[in-house]
Amino acid sequence: MSPSDFLDKLMGRTSRYDARIRPNFKGPPVNVTCNIFINSFGSVTETTMDYRVNVFLRQQWNDPRLSYREYPDDSLDLDPSMLDSIWKPDLFFANEKGANFHEVTTDNKLLRIFKNGNVLYSIRLTLILSCPMDLKNFPMDIQTCTMQLESFGYTMNDLIFKWLEEQEAVQVAEGLTLPQFILRDEKDLGYCTKYYNTGKFTCIEVKFHLERQMGYYLIQMYIPSLLIVILSWVSFWINMDAAPARVGLGITTVLTMTTQSAGSRASLPKVSYVKAIDIWMAVCLVFVFAALLEYAAVNFVSRQHKEFTRVRRRQRRQRMEEELVRESRFYLRGYGLGHCLQPKDRAGEGPDTYSPHPTRMLLQEGESLRRRYIDQAKRIDTISRAVFPFTFLVFNIFYWVIYKVLRSEDIHSVP
């Protein structure tokens, strides 16, 4: 018997095989064993919360109608065009957002039939699968992305999916790497049976654990923002009289930090909760803004002596004018008469009424006030040189301990 005649007798025109009817019709459900081989794991996108993967999907089931004895080989590798002649499971990916087949240079499909009626169907697919992400610990997070394989039309009375042995259910290509993530070795296999108003449908799933690498974010976000904060502290060592230099430095660091913070959020979805990177950027912005406000306080304190001197001078002038009005002499000069009208009470007259000493005392007091307020302003700068770095250091200790140690342990402990 020629191979063509054999195939026609097995599933062709001369056979009684009907591809529209499942194996064991009206009998027990068909058990389909699945396994996948991950050929490549593409980009994981936070903004759309999905990931791209290229897989070989393999399904194996038993169809008694395809068992044979006439042919000597234990298995037959058939052309993919024969797939239309046999029954196939109606598998689909429940969390799929996009997919495509591969047809270069021919359809990337494999069909193998064994003597006992077992059928092996393998197909190469590129999938875009949704992956809801929890970004609270971003960029020190571990994401769990699932792949769900479900039957579309056959209920569990007709079709049941199950994984191959655990060691072979999900295989990964050797040397597979991701640009931002590390694909952890453990992969959780499970069942996700779906209940709809049309019935109960079989579903299996695998969970991939992706641990984010921080190298990119350290170079692009953390280190630049750290240097900007340190740069804002340079103003504490600049003379307080150099207002253009200190104000320009403060405003530049604030604007740069604002731009850096906006850039860190550009590649992330607009979620309602606070992320780890948001806390870092917000605290850095607070520090550079506080450094700018620190110079405002220094400048305000250093100019207070002028206001106090002005007030003291005004008060002294008013007091002297009152004394002159009360103690002054009135001379009548006119018509050849000139005499001094003496006041009745001369008890308040003293030697300091017309003395130049009050002016000298006022100058000395003003100089003393100036020195005192300038010393206070310098003391603010001196204290800031120690307080700002120390506070930022304490924040760093708490930040990295919480996110890299405590929360990382919590994530790893979750099965």
Side-chain angles (χ1 to χ4, degrees), residues 200-408:
K200 182 171 70 170
F201 295 85
T202 181
C203 176
I204 56 177
E205 67 177 2
V206 56
K207 294 182 179 179
F208 303 104
H209 301 286
L210 304 172
E211 185 173 357
R212 194 183 303 273
Q213 295 178 302
M214 278 198 63
Y216 171 82
Y217 299 96
L218 280 175
I219 296 172
Q220 297 293 328
M221 296 182 184
Y222 281 96
I223 293 178
S225 57
L226 174 66
L227 295 178
I228 292 170
V229 173
I230 295 175
L231 180 63
S232 68
W233 300 339
V234 174
S235 65
F236 302 152
W237 278 267
I238 299 178
N239 194 323
M240 68 180 70
D241 295 329
R246 293 189 67 164
V247 172
L249 179 61
I251 292 177
T252 301
T253 53
V254 169
L255 293 178
T256 306
M257 196 66 240
T258 304
T259 305
Q260 187 80 7
S261 178
S264 68
R265 297 190 298 268
S267 60
L268 296 174
K270 296 177 176 62
V271 294
S272 59
Y273 49 81
V274 178
K275 303 178 288 295
I277 191 69
D278 294 336
I279 295 176
W280 173 268
M281 290 296 178
V283 172
C284 289
L285 182 60
V286 168
F287 268 91
V288 296
F289 189 71
L292 179 61
L293 293 182
E294 186 270 350
Y295 176 65
V298 167
N299 189 268
F300 175 77
V301 172
S302 65
R303 291 184 292 103
Q304 282 302 293
H305 72 279
K306 296 180 180 179
E307 184 65 25
F308 278 93
T309 302
R310 191 181 301 112
V311 172
R312 291 286 182 87
R313 192 175 296 162
R314 188 184 304 115
Q315 292 176 349
R316 182 66 62 88
R317 189 183 301 114
Q318 291 176 354
R319 190 161 54 249
M320 291 177 63
E321 289 176 357
E322 291 175 358
E323 291 178 358
L324 287 173
V325 170
R326 190 169 57 250
E327 303 292 339
S328 61
R329 300 173 180 178
F330 298 92
Y331 294 93
L332 298 175
R333 301 177 185 275
Y335 303 102
L337 298 176
H339 64 275
C340 179
L341 181 61
Q342 301 291 340
K344 295 182 179 181
D345 187 6
R346 296 179 55 90
E349 185 177 357
D352 293 336
T353 304
Y354 302 101
S355 173
H357 294 300
T359 303
R360 190 180 305 117
M361 291 174 60
L362 186 62
L363 292 175
Q364 292 175 353
E365 186 178 3
E367 183 65 20
S368 176
L369 280 173
R370 189 183 72 83
R371 285 201 204 95
R372 187 171 69 187
Y373 283 107
I374 288 180
D375 288 343
Q376 289 181 359
K378 289 181 178 179
R379 192 177 300 113
I380 294 175
D381 268 345
T382 304
I383 294 173
S384 298
R385 293 170 190 171
V387 170
F388 274 71
F390 177 76
T391 308
F392 193 65
L393 176 63
V394 171
F395 162 72
N396 270 268
I397 293 173
F398 277 97
Y399 181 85
W400 295 109
V401 167
I402 289 174
Y403 283 103
K404 288 297 288 182
V405 179
L406 299 181
R407 291 206 174 184
S408 180

Side-chain angles (χ1 to χ4, degrees), residues 105-124:
T105 58
T106 183
D107 288 346
N108 294 176
K109 299 177 182 179
L110 180 146
L111 176 60
R112 182 176 296 164
I113 298 176
F114 297 85
K115 259 188 175 182
N116 60 356
N118 285 347
V119 181
L120 174 63
Y121 172 38
S122 178
I123 184 170
R124 183 183 173 210

